[in-house]
Amino acid sequence: MVDETIEDAKAGLRRQAHAARAALSPVERAEAADRVAEHFFAGNVLQPGQVVAAYWRIRDELDCQPILLRLMEGNQTVVLPVVLGPDQPLEMRIWEQGTALYEAGFGTLAPSELAPLAEPDVVLMPLLGFDSQGTRLGYGGGYYDRTLAQMTKSPTLIGLAFAAQELDAIPREDHDVPLDAVITEAGLRHFGASA
């Protein structure tokens, strides 16, 4: 059952977060992406051999290409999410160095449908907003919620965002899995037991 009060509150927060993100200049976005990559690698959040799920930026999301390129150069296994359908979990396809990416809907790119699949140990998540409790505000499609619910492991969830996307409080529903950490241009912040 959908709680309309929570959905209305989240819709308002989505508008607020969209506006904050859209207000950033291209220079601010590029500088933030580089700083987020620096904080990511300085934060020692990865172990050798771990599979990392990243994403290909759409619209004005924080660009994680600086992270992706360094992961690929370091021979870390990287998977990119692919939307298969409106009510399905994401498919995590391995992006191997030197292989092409293809349009995968929503303005994003992904490995071909022939690419091998893998479950990630670390998931770098795009978001619209986050709060001090590690609650992530997504676009409302539930893709990551469905994906995490069907996985056999519990990956470390790291939100990538601009500092301007922090909100005072986001209502959390039972299906909302909190972030373990968020990285903005201001630094790396852990939530929960690891805070």
Side-chain angles (χ1 to χ4, degrees), residues 83-182:
V83 175
L84 299 176
D87 295 319
Q88 296 183 40
L90 299 166
E91 188 171 82
M92 298 291 183
R93 295 180 188 167
I94 295 176
W95 182 26
E96 295 173 329
Q97 191 138 5
T99 61
L101 294 175
Y102 300 91
E103 288 186 26
F106 299 97
T108 190
L109 298 176
S112 95
E113 59 189 25
L114 302 176
L117 306 179
E119 277 197 8
D121 300 292
V122 175
V123 179
L124 304 180
M125 303 177 84
L127 50 84
L128 272 172
F130 66 95
D131 66 17
S132 63
Q133 302 302 306
T135 306
R136 172 187 175 268
L137 182 67
Y139 296 100
Y143 291 104
Y144 278 96
D145 294 328
R146 282 190 297 280
T147 303
L148 294 170
Q150 60 89 42
M151 287 179 61
T152 60
K153 52 174 113 168
S154 296
T156 300
L157 306 179
I158 302 173
L160 300 183
F162 301 103
Q165 291 175 259
E166 184 167 3
L167 299 165
D168 291 335
I170 299 169
R172 187 183 295 174
E173 298 174 89
D174 292 341
H175 65 268
D176 292 327
V177 180
L179 297 167
D180 294 298
V182 70

Side-chain angles (χ1 to χ4, degrees), residues 2-20:
V2 175
D3 185 327
E4 294 299 329
T5 306
I6 290 177
E7 288 307 309
D8 289 346
K10 284 185 174 182
L13 291 170
R14 284 187 182 99
R15 286 189 295 275
Q16 179 184 339
H18 262 299

Side-chain angles (χ1 to χ4, degrees), residues 1 30 51 64 88 132 173 194:
M1 177 154 226
V51 176
C64 73
Q88 296 183 40
S132 63
E173 298 174 89
S194 61

